[in-house]
Amino acid sequence: MDDLRELYQEVILDHNQNPQNFGRLESHTHSGDGYNPLCGDKLSLTLEVENDEVKDIHFDGSGCAISKASASIMTTVIKGKTVSEAESLFDSFRELVTTGKSNRNNLGKLVVMAGVHKYPVRVKCATLAWHTLKNCLSGSSEVAKTE
Ligand code: ZN
């Protein structure tokens, strides 16, 4: 029970109930979809990238609390970052949710997701938004998978 409480801590519940940057950007330069077949999480991202900077990012979709909260937190962190900073955060975040820690110190509020590493199935929920982001930024039109 303690582990579950740790995982579904307040910040995650709050982002699930009040997702940030939810919806679709009317005007966008990048878009992409992600799907996590293990849990059924689906999400779409729209991004406005200008001069190598993510000016705006929105997400849309349906999924479990972890996938939604992770996407919501990701959008708040990615906005204003350069494309290479976003890619570097992807690596840090994946390290965090698979090992429970990261030696990099660029994670900021993303550290609330650290508890996810105890639940391998949930790692895919937490990283879905990030895999989708990576696909978007690389210009891939494929649906991002968590495998
Ligand atoms: Zn999920």
Side-chain angles (χ1 to χ4, degrees):
M1 270 318 284
D2 281 349
D3 284 351
L4 268 181
R5 219 172 287 139
E6 187 188 322
L7 180 56
Y8 290 97
Q9 57 182 283
E10 214 173 314
V11 182
I12 293 176
L13 286 174
D14 186 49
H15 272 275
N16 179 49
Q17 282 160 6
N18 306 295
Q20 304 294 302
N21 305 304
F22 190 74
R24 286 183 73 81
L25 289 172
E26 286 287 318
S27 149
H28 57 265
T29 55
H30 297 64
S31 67
D33 300 315
Y35 178 50
N36 172 16
L38 270 177
C39 183
D41 309 316
K42 285 179 184 171
L43 70 88
S44 303
L45 291 179
T46 44
L47 281 80
E48 178 77 34
V49 179
E50 199 186 304
N51 298 326
D52 202 42
E53 184 192 320
V54 181
K55 293 277 183 192
D56 207 354
I57 173 169
H58 271 49
F59 84 99
D60 198 359
S62 60
C64 67
I66 294 292
S67 70
K68 248 173 104 177
S70 180
S72 174
I73 295 169
M74 182 189 81
T75 61
T76 67
V77 169
I78 289 300
K79 205 184 276 195
K81 295 279 193 296
T82 66
V83 170
S84 62
E85 282 170 340
E87 284 166 353
S88 162
L89 274 168
F90 172 93
D91 293 332
S92 302
F93 183 75
R94 196 165 49 173
E95 187 185 3
L96 178 77
V97 294
T98 52
T99 67
K101 56 186 190 294
S102 172
N103 292 327
R104 309 169 200 231
N105 47 18
N106 59 348
L107 283 161
K109 59 186 134 182
L110 292 171
V111 295
V112 299
M113 303 299 290
V116 169
H117 83 277
K118 292 174 189 163
Y119 308 88
V121 172
R122 291 297 180 199
V123 169
K124 298 188 187 302
C125 302
T127 53
L128 176 63
W130 290 85
H131 282 287
T132 310
L133 175 70
K134 206 172 184 186
N135 258 20
C136 279
L137 291 175
S138 68
S140 168
S141 58
E142 281 176 33
V143 174
K145 292 272 176 60
T146 45
E147 298 306 314

